[in-house]
Amino acid sequence: MEKLIITVAPTGSVPTKKENPNLPVTPEEVIEDAVRCFGSGASVIHLHARDSEQRPVHDQAFFRQTMEGIREKTNLILQVSTGGRANPSWESRSAALELRPEMASLTTGSVNFPDRSYVNEPAFIEYLARKMQDCGIKPEMEIFDLSMVSNAVDLVRKGLAEEPLHFNFVLGLPGALPFNPANLVYLVQNLPPGATWTVSGIGRAQLPAAILAIIMGGHVRVGLEDNIYYQKGLLATNVALVDRVVRLARELGREIASPDEARRILHLK
Ligand code: ZN
Protein backbone atom coordinates (compact mmCIF):
# COMPACT_ATOMS: atom_id res chain seq x y z
CA MET A 1 0.00 0.00 0.00
CA GLU A 2 1.08 3.58 -0.60
CA LYS A 3 1.95 5.67 2.42
CA LEU A 4 -1.00 7.46 4.03
CA ILE A 5 -1.73 11.07 3.11
CA ILE A 6 -3.33 12.98 5.97
CA THR A 7 -5.21 16.14 5.03
CA VAL A 8 -6.19 18.55 7.75
CA ALA A 9 -9.24 20.78 7.25
CA PRO A 10 -8.76 23.11 10.21
CA THR A 11 -11.56 25.67 9.82
CA GLY A 12 -14.24 25.18 7.14
CA SER A 13 -17.19 27.53 6.76
CA VAL A 14 -19.55 26.41 9.48
CA PRO A 15 -18.09 25.85 12.98
CA THR A 16 -17.49 28.82 15.29
CA LYS A 17 -15.27 29.47 18.28
CA LYS A 18 -18.41 29.42 20.40
CA GLU A 19 -18.88 25.75 19.51
CA ASN A 20 -15.18 24.94 19.83
CA PRO A 21 -12.73 27.59 21.10
CA ASN A 22 -9.87 25.62 19.49
CA LEU A 23 -11.12 26.55 16.01
CA PRO A 24 -8.52 28.63 14.12
CA VAL A 25 -10.21 31.50 12.28
CA THR A 26 -7.60 34.25 11.76
CA PRO A 27 -4.65 33.82 9.38
CA GLU A 28 -2.29 33.74 12.39
CA GLU A 29 -4.32 31.01 14.10
CA VAL A 30 -4.58 28.94 10.91
CA ILE A 31 -0.81 29.23 10.33
CA GLU A 32 -0.14 28.18 13.94
CA ASP A 33 -2.37 25.11 13.58
CA ALA A 34 -0.80 24.31 10.20
CA VAL A 35 2.65 24.22 11.80
CA ARG A 36 1.42 21.91 14.57
CA CYS A 37 -0.38 19.55 12.17
CA PHE A 38 2.63 19.47 9.82
CA GLY A 39 4.80 18.50 12.77
CA SER A 40 2.36 15.77 13.66
CA GLY A 41 2.15 14.15 10.19
CA ALA A 42 -0.33 16.05 7.99
CA SER A 43 0.85 16.61 4.43
CA VAL A 44 -2.09 18.58 2.95
CA ILE A 45 -4.02 21.52 4.41
CA HIS A 46 -7.50 22.43 3.12
CA LEU A 47 -8.11 26.15 3.59
CA HIS A 48 -11.15 28.37 4.02
CA ALA A 49 -11.20 32.10 4.77
CA ARG A 50 -13.18 33.88 7.51
CA ASP A 51 -13.78 37.56 8.27
CA SER A 52 -13.37 39.25 11.66
CA GLU A 53 -16.89 38.12 12.63
CA GLN A 54 -15.95 34.49 11.76
CA ARG A 55 -18.24 34.59 8.71
CA PRO A 56 -17.07 32.55 5.70
CA VAL A 57 -15.63 34.73 2.92
CA HIS A 58 -13.56 34.33 -0.25
CA ASP A 59 -11.10 37.03 0.78
CA GLN A 60 -8.01 36.81 -1.39
CA ALA A 61 -5.95 38.78 1.15
CA PHE A 62 -6.80 36.23 3.86
CA PHE A 63 -5.77 33.37 1.60
CA ARG A 64 -2.58 35.16 0.54
CA GLN A 65 -1.47 35.89 4.10
CA THR A 66 -2.32 32.37 5.29
CA MET A 67 -0.66 30.65 2.35
CA GLU A 68 2.50 32.73 2.63
CA GLY A 69 2.77 32.01 6.36
CA ILE A 70 2.26 28.29 5.90
CA ARG A 71 4.74 28.12 3.01
CA GLU A 72 7.33 29.93 5.09
CA LYS A 73 7.06 27.55 8.04
CA THR A 74 6.09 24.18 6.54
CA ASN A 75 6.29 22.07 3.39
CA LEU A 76 2.52 21.40 3.44
CA ILE A 77 0.55 21.05 0.20
CA LEU A 78 -1.89 23.96 0.09
CA GLN A 79 -5.42 23.22 -1.02
CA VAL A 80 -7.95 26.07 -1.19
CA SER A 81 -11.69 25.59 -0.99
CA THR A 82 -13.95 26.79 -3.80
CA GLY A 83 -17.03 26.01 -1.69
CA GLY A 84 -20.05 28.26 -1.90
CA ARG A 85 -21.13 29.06 1.65
CA ALA A 86 -19.68 32.55 1.42
CA ASN A 87 -20.52 34.68 -1.63
CA PRO A 88 -21.77 32.20 -4.24
CA SER A 89 -20.67 34.21 -7.30
CA TRP A 90 -18.35 32.44 -9.76
CA GLU A 91 -15.63 35.10 -9.51
CA SER A 92 -15.68 35.09 -5.75
CA ARG A 93 -15.57 31.29 -5.41
CA SER A 94 -12.62 31.07 -7.79
CA ALA A 95 -10.67 34.11 -6.51
CA ALA A 96 -8.18 32.08 -4.44
CA LEU A 97 -7.17 30.04 -7.52
CA GLU A 98 -5.26 33.08 -8.78
CA LEU A 99 -2.87 32.59 -5.87
CA ARG A 100 -1.88 29.27 -7.47
CA PRO A 101 -2.08 26.81 -4.62
CA GLU A 102 -1.03 23.28 -5.59
CA MET A 103 -4.58 21.96 -5.12
CA ALA A 104 -8.18 23.18 -4.88
CA SER A 105 -11.50 21.56 -4.13
CA LEU A 106 -13.95 21.00 -7.00
CA THR A 107 -17.44 19.75 -6.18
CA THR A 108 -18.81 18.05 -9.29
CA GLY A 109 -22.52 18.34 -8.59
CA SER A 110 -25.20 19.84 -6.37
CA VAL A 111 -26.39 18.53 -3.03
CA ASN A 112 -28.60 19.54 -0.12
CA PHE A 113 -26.93 20.67 3.08
CA PRO A 114 -29.07 20.64 6.26
CA ASP A 115 -29.91 24.35 5.96
CA ARG A 116 -29.65 25.05 2.22
CA SER A 117 -28.87 23.70 -1.21
CA TYR A 118 -25.25 23.62 -2.33
CA VAL A 119 -25.52 24.46 -6.00
CA ASN A 120 -22.79 23.64 -8.51
CA GLU A 121 -24.30 23.90 -11.95
CA PRO A 122 -22.62 22.15 -14.90
CA ALA A 123 -21.31 25.39 -16.46
CA PHE A 124 -19.76 26.46 -13.16
CA ILE A 125 -18.04 23.10 -12.66
CA GLU A 126 -16.49 23.45 -16.12
CA TYR A 127 -15.50 27.06 -15.39
CA LEU A 128 -13.69 26.03 -12.21
CA ALA A 129 -12.05 23.02 -13.87
CA ARG A 130 -10.77 25.20 -16.72
CA LYS A 131 -9.45 27.83 -14.33
CA MET A 132 -7.62 25.17 -12.30
CA GLN A 133 -6.12 23.79 -15.50
CA ASP A 134 -4.98 27.27 -16.56
CA CYS A 135 -3.35 27.84 -13.16
CA GLY A 136 -1.73 24.38 -12.99
CA ILE A 137 -3.81 23.40 -9.93
CA LYS A 138 -4.74 19.78 -9.22
CA PRO A 139 -8.44 19.50 -8.39
CA GLU A 140 -9.62 17.40 -5.48
CA MET A 141 -13.03 16.17 -6.62
CA GLU A 142 -15.39 16.62 -3.66
CA ILE A 143 -17.87 13.76 -3.80
CA PHE A 144 -21.14 13.88 -1.86
CA ASP A 145 -22.93 11.38 -4.09
CA LEU A 146 -22.08 8.70 -6.68
CA SER A 147 -23.22 10.88 -9.61
CA MET A 148 -20.41 13.30 -8.76
CA VAL A 149 -17.84 10.59 -9.52
CA SER A 150 -19.15 10.17 -13.06
CA ASN A 151 -19.36 13.96 -13.47
CA ALA A 152 -15.67 14.18 -12.55
CA VAL A 153 -14.75 11.47 -15.04
CA ASP A 154 -16.73 13.40 -17.65
CA LEU A 155 -14.41 16.37 -17.16
CA VAL A 156 -11.54 14.18 -18.39
CA ARG A 157 -13.52 13.30 -21.52
CA LYS A 158 -14.14 17.03 -22.11
CA GLY A 159 -10.42 17.80 -21.74
CA LEU A 160 -11.00 19.79 -18.54
CA ALA A 161 -9.15 17.49 -16.12
CA GLU A 162 -6.26 15.05 -16.38
CA GLU A 163 -5.97 11.53 -15.06
CA PRO A 164 -5.17 10.19 -12.58
CA LEU A 165 -7.99 11.98 -10.74
CA HIS A 166 -8.05 12.53 -7.00
CA PHE A 167 -11.30 12.25 -5.04
CA ASN A 168 -12.48 13.16 -1.55
CA PHE A 169 -15.60 11.35 -0.33
CA VAL A 170 -17.59 13.51 2.07
CA LEU A 171 -19.73 11.06 4.02
CA GLY A 172 -22.19 11.50 6.84
CA LEU A 173 -23.44 15.02 6.18
CA PRO A 174 -27.22 15.15 6.75
CA GLY A 175 -28.80 15.61 3.30
CA ALA A 176 -25.99 13.83 1.45
CA LEU A 177 -24.67 10.27 1.32
CA PRO A 178 -24.56 8.69 4.80
CA PHE A 179 -21.38 7.06 6.04
CA ASN A 180 -21.30 3.29 6.25
CA PRO A 181 -18.76 0.75 5.01
CA ALA A 182 -20.97 -0.38 2.11
CA ASN A 183 -21.30 3.16 0.74
CA LEU A 184 -17.56 3.75 0.94
CA VAL A 185 -16.78 0.45 -0.80
CA TYR A 186 -19.33 1.23 -3.50
CA LEU A 187 -17.79 4.64 -4.21
CA VAL A 188 -14.28 3.19 -4.36
CA GLN A 189 -15.44 0.45 -6.75
CA ASN A 190 -16.75 3.12 -9.10
CA LEU A 191 -13.51 5.09 -9.37
CA PRO A 192 -11.63 5.23 -12.66
CA PRO A 193 -8.38 3.22 -12.85
CA GLY A 194 -5.39 4.86 -11.17
CA ALA A 195 -7.48 7.31 -9.15
CA THR A 196 -6.48 8.21 -5.60
CA TRP A 197 -9.03 8.90 -2.88
CA THR A 198 -9.42 10.25 0.59
CA VAL A 199 -12.39 10.28 2.93
CA SER A 200 -13.90 13.00 5.10
CA GLY A 201 -16.24 11.47 7.63
CA ILE A 202 -18.51 14.17 9.04
CA GLY A 203 -19.09 14.37 12.80
CA ARG A 204 -19.08 10.98 14.46
CA ALA A 205 -18.31 9.33 11.08
CA GLN A 206 -14.79 10.83 11.09
CA LEU A 207 -13.09 8.13 13.16
CA PRO A 208 -14.63 5.00 11.57
CA ALA A 209 -14.24 6.47 8.07
CA ALA A 210 -10.56 7.16 8.76
CA ILE A 211 -9.96 3.62 10.02
CA LEU A 212 -11.61 2.12 6.93
CA ALA A 213 -9.58 4.33 4.60
CA ILE A 214 -6.35 3.31 6.32
CA ILE A 215 -7.21 -0.37 5.85
CA MET A 216 -8.56 0.01 2.30
CA GLY A 217 -5.57 1.89 0.91
CA GLY A 218 -7.26 5.28 0.73
CA HIS A 219 -6.21 8.48 2.45
CA VAL A 220 -7.71 10.43 5.35
CA ARG A 221 -9.00 13.94 6.00
CA VAL A 222 -9.63 15.09 9.54
CA GLY A 223 -10.08 18.46 11.16
CA LEU A 224 -12.54 20.75 12.87
CA GLU A 225 -14.21 21.65 9.54
CA ASP A 226 -15.71 18.16 9.51
CA ASN A 227 -15.90 17.31 13.18
CA ILE A 228 -15.44 19.42 16.32
CA TYR A 229 -15.33 16.52 18.82
CA TYR A 230 -12.51 14.17 19.72
CA GLN A 231 -15.07 11.87 21.27
CA LYS A 232 -18.54 12.33 22.68
CA GLY A 233 -18.55 15.38 24.95
CA LEU A 234 -14.84 16.13 24.44
CA LEU A 235 -13.91 18.98 22.10
CA ALA A 236 -11.10 18.31 19.64
CA THR A 237 -8.11 20.26 18.42
CA ASN A 238 -6.87 19.87 14.87
CA VAL A 239 -3.55 18.46 15.98
CA ALA A 240 -5.19 15.91 18.31
CA LEU A 241 -7.26 14.63 15.37
CA VAL A 242 -4.14 14.33 13.18
CA ASP A 243 -2.19 12.68 16.02
CA ARG A 244 -4.92 10.06 16.41
CA VAL A 245 -4.81 9.12 12.71
CA VAL A 246 -1.01 8.84 12.87
CA ARG A 247 -1.27 6.46 15.84
CA LEU A 248 -3.99 4.37 14.18
CA ALA A 249 -2.07 4.12 10.92
CA ARG A 250 1.05 2.96 12.75
CA GLU A 251 -0.92 0.32 14.66
CA LEU A 252 -2.43 -0.87 11.37
CA GLY A 253 0.94 -1.02 9.61
CA ARG A 254 0.51 1.97 7.31
CA GLU A 255 3.33 4.51 7.07
CA ILE A 256 2.64 8.25 6.91
CA ALA A 257 3.48 10.17 3.72
CA SER A 258 5.57 13.33 3.97
CA PRO A 259 4.34 16.26 1.85
CA ASP A 260 6.87 15.42 -0.88
CA GLU A 261 5.76 11.79 -0.86
CA ALA A 262 2.17 12.99 -1.05
CA ARG A 263 3.10 15.14 -4.07
CA ARG A 264 4.36 12.02 -5.83
CA ILE A 265 1.33 9.89 -4.85
CA LEU A 266 -1.07 12.64 -6.03
CA HIS A 267 0.93 13.31 -9.21
CA LEU A 268 1.32 17.02 -8.44
CA LYS A 269 3.41 18.97 -10.90
ZN1 ZN B 1 -13.92 22.78 2.94
Side-chain angles (χ1 to χ4, degrees):
M1 257 184 220
E2 283 285 12
K3 290 187 180 180
L4 181 75
I5 299 170
I6 302 174
T7 299
V8 64
T11 307
S13 299
V14 179
T16 61
K17 277 190 182 293
K18 197 173 163 205
E19 294 162 308
N20 184 334
N22 303 318
L23 186 82
V25 293
T26 65
E28 293 78 12
E29 288 170 345
V30 175
I31 294 164
E32 225 174 90
D33 250 19
V35 171
R36 282 193 203 109
C37 293
F38 170 66
S40 161
S43 48
V44 181
I45 186 161
H46 169 85
L47 296 167
H48 285 256
R50 300 286 187 99
D51 68 11
S52 56
E53 308 289 312
Q54 299 188 52
R55 285 177 302 225
V57 287
H58 295 290
D59 180 8
Q60 219 186 41
F62 182 108
F63 279 113
R64 183 177 291 112
Q65 188 184 342
T66 309
M67 288 166 64
E68 277 172 8
I70 296 173
R71 277 199 189 110
E72 216 167 89
K73 295 180 173 152
T74 77
N75 185 27
L76 285 169
I77 296 168
L78 303 176
Q79 180 190 93
V80 300
S81 169
T82 60
R85 277 201 186 256
N87 182 340
S89 80
W90 290 18
E91 292 69 27
S92 151
R93 284 181 60 181
S94 63
L97 300 181
E98 284 151 23
L99 303 172
R100 298 183 183 253
E102 287 177 89
M103 299 181 79
S105 64
L106 176 55
T107 305
T108 49
S110 300
V111 63
N112 278 348
F113 285 162
D115 56 339
R116 44 164 292 217
S117 294
Y118 179 32
V119 177
N120 296 288
E121 55 188 299
F124 178 60
I125 296 168
E126 291 184 12
Y127 165 86
L128 275 184
R130 189 169 292 119
K131 199 152 179 181
M132 288 183 201
Q133 234 176 8
D134 291 347
C135 296
I137 297 168
K138 170 121 183 178
E140 176 177 272
M141 307 299 181
E142 303 299 323
I143 304 301
F144 294 77
D145 205 340
L146 184 61
S147 61
M148 295 190 191
V149 173
S150 38
N151 292 346
V153 172
D154 240 27
L155 291 174
V156 177
R157 194 180 51 75
K158 291 173 182 160
L160 293 170
E162 285 110 57
E163 292 193 291
L165 296 177
H166 177 63
F167 294 85
N168 177 36
F169 303 127
V170 185
L171 299 177
L173 189 71
L177 197 62
F179 167 74
N180 59 51
N183 283 349
L184 179 59
V185 168
Y186 189 55
L187 287 166
V188 172
Q189 283 172 338
N190 278 279
L191 292 182
T196 49
W197 60 275
T198 185
V199 62
S200 297
I202 303 299
R204 70 186 69 171
Q206 190 166 82
L207 180 57
I211 293 169
L212 277 180
I214 294 168
I215 296 168
M216 290 168 66
H219 303 282
V220 173
R221 178 171 116 176
V222 289
L224 300 179
E225 168 167 354
D226 300 331
N227 165 39
I228 60 169
Y229 292 103
Y230 189 82
Q231 59 191 44
K232 197 172 178 196
L234 179 63
L235 292 172
T237 62
N238 283 304
V239 73
L241 294 171
V242 173
D243 278 340
R244 177 160 65 182
V245 174
V246 171
R247 285 197 305 274
L248 286 166
R250 294 219 169 107
E251 287 293 327
L252 294 165
R254 190 104 184 258
E255 286 181 68
I256 308 298
S258 69
D260 284 339
E261 289 166 335
R263 286 181 174 94
R264 178 187 55 75
I265 295 166
L266 296 171
H267 299 91
L268 300 186
K269 287 178 188 124

